[in-house]
Amino acid sequence: MTTFKIDDYLKGVQTVAISGHIRPDGDCIGSCMGMYHYLKKAYPALRVDVFLEDVPDCFSYIKDIDKVNTTYETDVEVYDLFICLDSVKDRIGKAEAIFDKARHTVNIDHHVSNTGTGEVNYIVPGASSACELVYRVIDRALMDETIAVPIYTGMVTDTGVFKYSSTSKETMEIAGDLMTYGFDFPQLIDSVFFEKTFVQQRLMGEALTNAVLYFDDQCIASFLPAERITALHAAFSDLEGIASQMKLTKGVHCSLFVYGLPDGDNKISLRSDGCVDVSKIAQTIPGGGGHARAAGCNIKGSYEDVLKVMLPLIEAQLKK
Ligand SMILES: [Mn+2]
């Protein structure tokens, strides 16, 4: 357990700015709001401002989420303390100018690549989430539902609902403690992780309907043309999660989901259960890359052209 406590850095402090990375996700938003509510409760006279690029609608259940400053305009010239969460200070967008001016800075993060960009740093690479770290550094005696909800949110989203390998015994113990504060956790998990819009469900359905199995049913591939995506008034972000869902087909080791872009290019998403290193496949295409179990690249031409390039590369690894 850590001896790092955020209270050690609040003596004489009157103004605090909190921020996280651009395009904030559940962990970024949850850690910022969890810290915000803790500080507001522990130090009622403290001025605390949260700066984030935007907040997706699905997080509207978090108390005071409408108070998040998305314009980065503030009447505070220089903040006494800046708390940078779930990010290096170089990835917080317009908040970096506020960070640079602040009297003191604290950086709390769980990303391996973060070597510490604050005056004081609490970086724990193995931790499930920045939210788990916020839980560890605050005074637990003040924990309540308002603080617990955002912290639980980030733990859910960054662990894929307590599934990814970063989920530890301590993660579950913290989640278990948070659950005792009485919020509707099944609804919370659906809202931030499982719920899809009707359009997203339609796209998923069409992708699965179009899917074909290859190589003794060990590989699954599917395609959605750009015209279909346009006809459903979908955004390309609505296609997230399709390749992962395809990979969950029983017996399948590797999935290949392709969708057309308006300019004739194709976006390719590859997912694997670990039997195939899809980053090696994506890297053979200029600009492609990713991780062993999740990677992507772009290829011009028809879907048949994409299959001609991709399928032999997948087959070669499946034969090993
Ligand atoms: Mn995170």
Side-chain angles (χ1 to χ4, degrees):
M1 284 304 286
T2 175
T3 51
F4 184 99
K5 291 289 168 196
I6 196 67
D7 297 272
D8 293 342
Y9 305 94
L10 285 151
K11 289 175 187 78
V13 167
Q14 287 176 319
T15 54
V16 177
I18 301 173
S19 191
H21 56 78
I22 50 169
R23 278 174 271 112
D25 57 8
D27 188 35
C28 177
I29 293 163
S31 57
C32 288
M33 292 309 290
M35 182 62 81
Y36 169 86
H37 283 300
Y38 171 73
L39 294 177
K40 290 300 282 179
K41 187 173 183 184
Y43 308 90
L46 194 66
R47 160 89 179 254
V48 188
D49 294 328
V50 177
F51 298 91
L52 289 170
E53 207 176 36
D54 63 82
V55 179
D57 290 341
C58 67
F59 300 107
S60 61
Y61 60 86
I62 295 175
K63 194 183 170 202
D64 291 343
I65 197 79
D66 54 318
K67 289 186 181 163
V68 171
N69 184 323
T70 55
T71 65
Y72 299 89
E73 283 164 24
T74 170
D75 56 335
V76 178
E77 199 58 38
V78 175
Y79 283 87
D80 293 330
L81 179 66
F82 192 110
I83 305 174
C84 177
L85 296 164
D86 197 32
S87 178
V88 286
K89 75 134 184 155
D90 319 72
R91 219 184 130 215
I92 59 176
K94 289 180 184 165
E96 194 177 352
I98 302 167
F99 180 104
D100 288 337
K101 279 199 281 179
R103 285 195 183 87
H104 298 286
T105 57
V106 170
N107 192 183
I108 299 172
D109 193 11
H110 69 122
H111 290 97
V112 191
S113 52
N114 189 346
T115 51
T117 59
E119 181 187 351
V120 178
N121 300 288
Y122 182 55
I123 314 291
V124 186
S128 71
S129 53
C131 280
E132 180 172 330
L133 300 180
V134 168
Y135 177 93
R136 292 196 211 174
V137 304
I138 64 177
D139 178 2
R140 225 119 334 131
L142 296 183
M143 183 61 73
D144 61 17
E145 185 182 341
T146 302
I147 303 168
V149 163
I151 293 179
Y152 193 85
T153 295
M155 293 181 71
V156 164
T157 56
D158 255 29
T159 61
V161 194
F162 308 109
K163 182 183 116 168
Y164 304 150
S165 57
S166 61
T167 309
S168 66
K169 179 171 175 277
E170 190 180 1
T171 308
M172 301 309 283
E173 284 165 355
I174 293 171
D177 178 42
L178 295 173
M179 283 167 73
T180 65
Y181 291 91
F183 54 92
D184 187 348
F185 61 86
Q187 176 57 49
L188 186 159
I189 291 170
D190 276 346
S191 171
V192 299
F193 202 85
F194 291 111
E195 267 178 20
K196 289 178 175 290
T197 63
F198 184 56
V199 164
Q200 288 167 345
Q201 301 278 40
R202 291 278 303 267
L203 292 165
M204 178 77 79
E206 291 192 18
L208 294 174
T209 302
N210 296 344
V212 172
L213 293 168
Y214 296 90
F215 314 129
D216 296 328
D217 304 349
Q218 294 179 86
C219 171
I220 187 169
S222 189
F223 175 63
L224 282 176
E227 307 85 73
R228 224 16 234 144
I229 299 163
T230 313
L232 286 168
H233 305 291
F236 291 108
S237 59
D238 290 329
L239 299 149
E240 274 172 32
I242 293 179
S244 300
Q245 183 61 43
M246 287 167 58
K247 193 213 74 188
L248 289 172
T249 309
K250 195 167 175 65
V252 160
H253 296 303
C254 178
S255 70
L256 172 73
F257 174 58
V258 182
Y259 63 85
L261 296 168
D263 61 0
D265 218 358
N266 295 285
K267 178 95 183 70
I268 294 133
S269 295
L270 292 147
R271 294 293 181 273
S272 144
D273 62 359
C275 289
V276 174
D277 183 343
V278 289
S279 75
K280 284 187 183 156
I281 293 168
Q283 275 165 20
T284 63
I285 310 301
H291 306 279
R293 289 165 186 253
C297 58
N298 283 28
I299 297 178
K300 283 207 184 299
S302 66
Y303 179 49
E304 284 66 36
D305 295 332
V306 173
L307 290 180
K308 263 180 220 156
V309 176
M310 288 282 116
L311 290 180
L313 295 169
I314 294 168
E315 187 180 25
Q317 284 204 39
L318 285 171
K319 275 182 175 165
K320 276 184 197 165

mmCIF file with all atom_site columns, all heavy atoms in Angstrom, residues 195-206:
data_model
loop_
_atom_site.group_PDB
_atom_site.id
_atom_site.type_symbol
_atom_site.label_atom_id
_atom_site.label_alt_id
_atom_site.label_comp_id
_atom_site.label_asym_id
_atom_site.label_entity_id
_atom_site.label_seq_id
_atom_site.pdbx_PDB_ins_code
_atom_site.Cartn_x
_atom_site.Cartn_y
_atom_site.Cartn_z
_atom_site.occupancy
_atom_site.B_iso_or_equiv
_atom_site.pdbx_formal_charge
_atom_site.auth_seq_id
_atom_site.auth_comp_id
_atom_site.auth_asym_id
_atom_site.auth_atom_id
_atom_site.pdbx_PDB_model_num
ATOM 1   N N   . GLU A 1 195 ? -24.163 -0.517 -23.336 1.00 0.00 ? 195 GLU A N   1
ATOM 2   C CA  . GLU A 1 195 ? -25.216 0.087  -24.145 1.00 0.00 ? 195 GLU A CA  1
ATOM 3   C C   . GLU A 1 195 ? -24.694 0.569  -25.493 1.00 0.00 ? 195 GLU A C   1
ATOM 4   O O   . GLU A 1 195 ? -23.614 1.138  -25.592 1.00 0.00 ? 195 GLU A O   1
ATOM 5   C CB  . GLU A 1 195 ? -25.829 1.277  -23.400 1.00 0.00 ? 195 GLU A CB  1
ATOM 6   C CG  . GLU A 1 195 ? -27.045 0.895  -22.594 1.00 0.00 ? 195 GLU A CG  1
ATOM 7   C CD  . GLU A 1 195 ? -27.615 2.063  -21.817 1.00 0.00 ? 195 GLU A CD  1
ATOM 8   O OE1 . GLU A 1 195 ? -27.339 3.225  -22.162 1.00 0.00 ? 195 GLU A OE1 1
ATOM 9   O OE2 . GLU A 1 195 ? -28.323 1.789  -20.844 1.00 0.00 ? 195 GLU A OE2 1
ATOM 10  N N   . LYS A 1 196 ? -25.494 0.339  -26.529 1.00 0.00 ? 196 LYS A N   1
ATOM 11  C CA  . LYS A 1 196 ? -25.174 0.842  -27.863 1.00 0.00 ? 196 LYS A CA  1
ATOM 12  C C   . LYS A 1 196 ? -26.389 1.587  -28.389 1.00 0.00 ? 196 LYS A C   1
ATOM 13  O O   . LYS A 1 196 ? -27.516 1.286  -27.991 1.00 0.00 ? 196 LYS A O   1
ATOM 14  C CB  . LYS A 1 196 ? -24.858 -0.330 -28.809 1.00 0.00 ? 196 LYS A CB  1
ATOM 15  C CG  . LYS A 1 196 ? -23.540 -1.009 -28.515 1.00 0.00 ? 196 LYS A CG  1
ATOM 16  C CD  . LYS A 1 196 ? -23.338 -2.181 -29.458 1.00 0.00 ? 196 LYS A CD  1
ATOM 17  C CE  . LYS A 1 196 ? -21.970 -2.800 -29.277 1.00 0.00 ? 196 LYS A CE  1
ATOM 18  N NZ  . LYS A 1 196 ? -20.894 -1.931 -29.749 1.00 0.00 ? 196 LYS A NZ  1
ATOM 19  N N   . THR A 1 197 ? -26.166 2.507  -29.301 1.00 0.00 ? 197 THR A N   1
ATOM 20  C CA  . THR A 1 197 ? -27.294 3.154  -29.951 1.00 0.00 ? 197 THR A CA  1
ATOM 21  C C   . THR A 1 197 ? -27.921 2.148  -30.925 1.00 0.00 ? 197 THR A C   1
ATOM 22  O O   . THR A 1 197 ? -27.304 1.134  -31.291 1.00 0.00 ? 197 THR A O   1
ATOM 23  C CB  . THR A 1 197 ? -26.856 4.397  -30.742 1.00 0.00 ? 197 THR A CB  1
ATOM 24  O OG1 . THR A 1 197 ? -25.970 3.970  -31.782 1.00 0.00 ? 197 THR A OG1 1
ATOM 25  C CG2 . THR A 1 197 ? -26.153 5.414  -29.841 1.00 0.00 ? 197 THR A CG2 1
ATOM 26  N N   . PHE A 1 198 ? -29.139 2.434  -31.369 1.00 0.00 ? 198 PHE A N   1
ATOM 27  C CA  . PHE A 1 198 ? -29.804 1.530  -32.330 1.00 0.00 ? 198 PHE A CA  1
ATOM 28  C C   . PHE A 1 198 ? -28.962 1.388  -33.590 1.00 0.00 ? 198 PHE A C   1
ATOM 29  O O   . PHE A 1 198 ? -28.807 0.287  -34.137 1.00 0.00 ? 198 PHE A O   1
ATOM 30  C CB  . PHE A 1 198 ? -31.208 2.071  -32.646 1.00 0.00 ? 198 PHE A CB  1
ATOM 31  C CG  . PHE A 1 198 ? -32.000 1.171  -33.546 1.00 0.00 ? 198 PHE A CG  1
ATOM 32  C CD1 . PHE A 1 198 ? -32.229 -0.154 -33.207 1.00 0.00 ? 198 PHE A CD1 1
ATOM 33  C CD2 . PHE A 1 198 ? -32.519 1.664  -34.748 1.00 0.00 ? 198 PHE A CD2 1
ATOM 34  C CE1 . PHE A 1 198 ? -32.956 -0.987 -34.047 1.00 0.00 ? 198 PHE A CE1 1
ATOM 35  C CE2 . PHE A 1 198 ? -33.252 0.832  -35.580 1.00 0.00 ? 198 PHE A CE2 1
ATOM 36  C CZ  . PHE A 1 198 ? -33.468 -0.495 -35.230 1.00 0.00 ? 198 PHE A CZ  1
ATOM 37  N N   . VAL A 1 199 ? -28.382 2.493  -34.055 1.00 0.00 ? 199 VAL A N   1
ATOM 38  C CA  . VAL A 1 199 ? -27.539 2.451  -35.259 1.00 0.00 ? 199 VAL A CA  1
ATOM 39  C C   . VAL A 1 199 ? -26.327 1.543  -35.030 1.00 0.00 ? 199 VAL A C   1
ATOM 40  O O   . VAL A 1 199 ? -25.961 0.743  -35.906 1.00 0.00 ? 199 VAL A O   1
ATOM 41  C CB  . VAL A 1 199 ? -27.099 3.885  -35.649 1.00 0.00 ? 199 VAL A CB  1
ATOM 42  C CG1 . VAL A 1 199 ? -25.927 3.865  -36.616 1.00 0.00 ? 199 VAL A CG1 1
ATOM 43  C CG2 . VAL A 1 199 ? -28.272 4.650  -36.244 1.00 0.00 ? 199 VAL A CG2 1
ATOM 44  N N   . GLN A 1 200 ? -25.720 1.651  -33.864 1.00 0.00 ? 200 GLN A N   1
ATOM 45  C CA  . GLN A 1 200 ? -24.565 0.793  -33.558 1.00 0.00 ? 200 GLN A CA  1
ATOM 46  C C   . GLN A 1 200 ? -24.967 -0.687 -33.560 1.00 0.00 ? 200 GLN A C   1
ATOM 47  O O   . GLN A 1 200 ? -24.228 -1.535 -34.054 1.00 0.00 ? 200 GLN A O   1
ATOM 48  C CB  . GLN A 1 200 ? -23.971 1.182  -32.193 1.00 0.00 ? 200 GLN A CB  1
ATOM 49  C CG  . GLN A 1 200 ? -23.238 2.516  -32.233 1.00 0.00 ? 200 GLN A CG  1
ATOM 50  C CD  . GLN A 1 200 ? -22.925 3.067  -30.854 1.00 0.00 ? 200 GLN A CD  1
ATOM 51  O OE1 . GLN A 1 200 ? -23.463 2.626  -29.840 1.00 0.00 ? 200 GLN A OE1 1
ATOM 52  N NE2 . GLN A 1 200 ? -22.043 4.048  -30.807 1.00 0.00 ? 200 GLN A NE2 1
ATOM 53  N N   . GLN A 1 201 ? -26.146 -0.978 -33.016 1.00 0.00 ? 201 GLN A N   1
ATOM 54  C CA  . GLN A 1 201 ? -26.639 -2.365 -33.015 1.00 0.00 ? 201 GLN A CA  1
ATOM 55  C C   . GLN A 1 201 ? -26.885 -2.856 -34.445 1.00 0.00 ? 201 GLN A C   1
ATOM 56  O O   . GLN A 1 201 ? -26.570 -3.994 -34.790 1.00 0.00 ? 201 GLN A O   1
ATOM 57  C CB  . GLN A 1 201 ? -27.957 -2.474 -32.218 1.00 0.00 ? 201 GLN A CB  1
ATOM 58  C CG  . GLN A 1 201 ? -27.867 -2.054 -30.766 1.00 0.00 ? 201 GLN A CG  1
ATOM 59  C CD  . GLN A 1 201 ? -27.322 -3.141 -29.860 1.00 0.00 ? 201 GLN A CD  1
ATOM 60  O OE1 . GLN A 1 201 ? -26.390 -3.853 -30.221 1.00 0.00 ? 201 GLN A OE1 1
ATOM 61  N NE2 . GLN A 1 201 ? -27.881 -3.248 -28.664 1.00 0.00 ? 201 GLN A NE2 1
ATOM 62  N N   . ARG A 1 202 ? -27.459 -1.966 -35.288 1.00 0.00 ? 202 ARG A N   1
ATOM 63  C CA  . ARG A 1 202 ? -27.714 -2.345 -36.690 1.00 0.00 ? 202 ARG A CA  1
ATOM 64  C C   . ARG A 1 202 ? -26.412 -2.676 -37.409 1.00 0.00 ? 202 ARG A C   1
ATOM 65  O O   . ARG A 1 202 ? -26.324 -3.652 -38.151 1.00 0.00 ? 202 ARG A O   1
ATOM 66  C CB  . ARG A 1 202 ? -28.406 -1.186 -37.429 1.00 0.00 ? 202 ARG A CB  1
ATOM 67  C CG  . ARG A 1 202 ? -29.824 -0.895 -36.996 1.00 0.00 ? 202 ARG A CG  1
ATOM 68  C CD  . ARG A 1 202 ? -30.837 -1.821 -37.637 1.00 0.00 ? 202 ARG A CD  1
ATOM 69  N NE  . ARG A 1 202 ? -30.816 -1.826 -39.085 1.00 0.00 ? 202 ARG A NE  1
ATOM 70  C CZ  . ARG A 1 202 ? -31.585 -1.045 -39.851 1.00 0.00 ? 202 ARG A CZ  1
ATOM 71  N NH1 . ARG A 1 202 ? -32.402 -0.191 -39.292 1.00 0.00 ? 202 ARG A NH1 1
ATOM 72  N NH2 . ARG A 1 202 ? -31.529 -1.139 -41.157 1.00 0.00 ? 202 ARG A NH2 1
ATOM 73  N N   . LEU A 1 203 ? -25.393 -1.820 -37.201 1.00 0.00 ? 203 LEU A N   1
ATOM 74  C CA  . LEU A 1 203 ? -24.098 -2.038 -37.849 1.00 0.00 ? 203 LEU A CA  1
ATOM 75  C C   . LEU A 1 203 ? -23.486 -3.356 -37.389 1.00 0.00 ? 203 LEU A C   1
ATOM 76  O O   . LEU A 1 203 ? -22.952 -4.121 -38.191 1.00 0.00 ? 203 LEU A O   1
ATOM 77  C CB  . LEU A 1 203 ? -23.147 -0.878 -37.543 1.00 0.00 ? 203 LEU A CB  1
ATOM 78  C CG  . LEU A 1 203 ? -23.506 0.471  -38.172 1.00 0.00 ? 203 LEU A CG  1
ATOM 79  C CD1 . LEU A 1 203 ? -22.715 1.589  -37.508 1.00 0.00 ? 203 LEU A CD1 1
ATOM 80  C CD2 . LEU A 1 203 ? -23.249 0.464  -39.674 1.00 0.00 ? 203 LEU A CD2 1
ATOM 81  N N   . MET A 1 204 ? -23.559 -3.623 -36.092 1.00 0.00 ? 204 MET A N   1
ATOM 82  C CA  . MET A 1 204 ? -23.045 -4.882 -35.540 1.00 0.00 ? 204 MET A CA  1
ATOM 83  C C   . MET A 1 204 ? -23.767 -6.060 -36.202 1.00 0.00 ? 204 MET A C   1
ATOM 84  O O   . MET A 1 204 ? -23.143 -7.032 -36.633 1.00 0.00 ? 204 MET A O   1
ATOM 85  C CB  . MET A 1 204 ? -23.250 -4.903 -34.021 1.00 0.00 ? 204 MET A CB  1
ATOM 86  C CG  . MET A 1 204 ? -22.798 -6.159 -33.330 1.00 0.00 ? 204 MET A CG  1
ATOM 87  S SD  . MET A 1 204 ? -21.021 -6.236 -33.149 1.00 0.00 ? 204 MET A SD  1
ATOM 88  C CE  . MET A 1 204 ? -20.780 -5.146 -31.736 1.00 0.00 ? 204 MET A CE  1
ATOM 89  N N   . GLY A 1 205 ? -25.096 -5.948 -36.284 1.00 0.00 ? 205 GLY A N   1
ATOM 90  C CA  . GLY A 1 205 ? -25.906 -7.010 -36.879 1.00 0.00 ? 205 GLY A CA  1
ATOM 91  C C   . GLY A 1 205 ? -25.530 -7.266 -38.330 1.00 0.00 ? 205 GLY A C   1
ATOM 92  O O   . GLY A 1 205 ? -25.365 -8.421 -38.750 1.00 0.00 ? 205 GLY A O   1
ATOM 93  N N   . GLU A 1 206 ? -25.355 -6.206 -39.088 1.00 0.00 ? 206 GLU A N   1
ATOM 94  C CA  . GLU A 1 206 ? -25.005 -6.366 -40.503 1.00 0.00 ? 206 GLU A CA  1
ATOM 95  C C   . GLU A 1 206 ? -23.614 -6.959 -40.666 1.00 0.00 ? 206 GLU A C   1
ATOM 96  O O   . GLU A 1 206 ? -23.380 -7.811 -41.538 1.00 0.00 ? 206 GLU A O   1
ATOM 97  C CB  . GLU A 1 206 ? -25.111 -5.015 -41.224 1.00 0.00 ? 206 GLU A CB  1
ATOM 98  C CG  . GLU A 1 206 ? -26.555 -4.559 -41.347 1.00 0.00 ? 206 GLU A CG  1
ATOM 99  C CD  . GLU A 1 206 ? -26.730 -3.388 -42.308 1.00 0.00 ? 206 GLU A CD  1
ATOM 100 O OE1 . GLU A 1 206 ? -25.819 -3.144 -43.124 1.00 0.00 ? 206 GLU A OE1 1
ATOM 101 O OE2 . GLU A 1 206 ? -27.783 -2.738 -42.224 1.00 0.00 ? 206 GLU A OE2 1
#
